[in-house]
Amino acid sequence: MIIKIVIDNNPSETYPDLLSEHGLSIYFEKDGRKYLLDTGASGKWAENARNMGIDAEDIGHLILSHGHIDHTGGLPAFFRLNGQADISASDKIKRHKYLSYRHENVKDLSPDSVLLSNNASRMKFLEKDFSLAPGIELIYNKSSEYPVPAGNRYLHIIDKGRELPYKGDDEIAVSCSTDKGLVILSSCSHCGILNIIKSCTSASGIDKVTAFIGGLHLLDSESGDGDDNEETARTVNSLYPEMELYTGHCTGEKAFGIFRKHLGEKLHRIHSGMEITV
């Protein structure tokens, strides 16, 4: 299985021509099929893909992990470059309006609803787990055993005219079965890394996780959540001692340092252009 980070917050030190932004897009190949998970915050992912030798027209399926604009903002470029791929997303993204109160002014994080409507024939709006291909499952979180990121407190939705806290119930993880165990792609992990891993292992019946790739939504701006991050890192290392964790995007430096203390060389910082083979 080949995985390429098309765009991430962290720039590439090896390939300085690649762009970065507050967003995430991941390309992966499995069993001869080509997929894209998310489209970053803008069309910059497409420029990076071209410079990385990825032909957007060849992508057979696009998965949108959740509705936030830093993962759906590059959809116009995708539709322009790819006229045949199906797109899987939560059914909630077509009706929710997403808001962030993290900064002084409220920010609308919603995807382009007109764009989604105009391309409805290509959209698969999912209400439950979905088998995308043999060994590739799209998984909703079903666990509440472990803490969720404190940064979620800034996030709200508007649904049917009511404003409510964001629960991450539109968030989809990609669970891939390999000979080495599960590879889990979770773009933002609003439901918490441990809950997401538990949901994926329970759905697959495979307890061994060889790699977890994506953001953890553990923000440097949060105060008072260091103990939770410490416990999460310790539990990850205890329950999944062989797992490699590849993270960036919405994982802050404080959390990264805590995870480094417990995971050591099993922790990797993702960046635009990074290639992972598992």
Side-chain angles (χ1 to χ4, degrees), residues 218 225-234 252-264 267:
L218 302 175
D225 64 336
D227 290 345
D228 282 346
N229 291 348
E230 186 86 32
E231 181 61 26
T232 298
R234 187 183 297 113
E253 288 299 317
K254 294 177 183 177
F256 195 91
I258 291 171
F259 274 78
R260 171 69 76 194
K261 181 172 69 173
H262 291 280
L263 273 66
L267 179 67

Side-chain angles (χ1 to χ4, degrees), residues 156-204:
H156 282 215
I157 60 164
I158 296 177
D159 183 21
K160 299 177 181 178
R162 297 176 61 211
E163 184 166 343
L164 304 165
Y166 177 66
K167 297 180 180 179
D169 56 358
D170 67 329
E171 188 176 39
I172 295 170
V174 184
S175 176
C176 303
S177 302
T178 75
D179 292 340
K180 299 178 181 178
L182 285 185
V183 174
I184 299 172
L185 309 180
S186 176
S187 295
C188 254
S189 305
H190 286 285
C191 296
I193 178 175
L194 288 166
N195 291 320
I196 292 166
I197 293 175
K198 183 171 183 179
S199 294
C200 290
T201 55
S202 296
S204 67

Side-chain angles (χ1 to χ4, degrees), residues 52-115:
M52 292 167 65
I54 299 170
D55 190 340
E57 191 175 2
D58 291 342
I59 294 168
H61 204 105
L62 169 65
I63 305 134
L64 299 178
S65 64
H66 61 304
H68 290 158
I69 195 67
D70 49 332
H71 299 267
T72 62
L75 272 173
F78 186 84
F79 285 121
R80 185 176 68 252
L81 296 171
N82 185 303
Q84 51 79 31
D86 289 331
I87 300 100
S88 291
S90 167
D91 67 315
K92 294 180 175 63
I93 76 166
K94 63 183 177 180
R95 69 172 193 265
H96 283 179
K97 182 174 182 178
Y98 298 88
L99 303 174
S100 172
Y101 287 88
R102 185 179 173 197
H103 302 291
E104 183 177 353
N105 296 317
V106 181
K107 185 174 182 180
D108 188 343
L109 302 179
S110 307
D112 186 335
S113 59
V114 174
L115 188 68

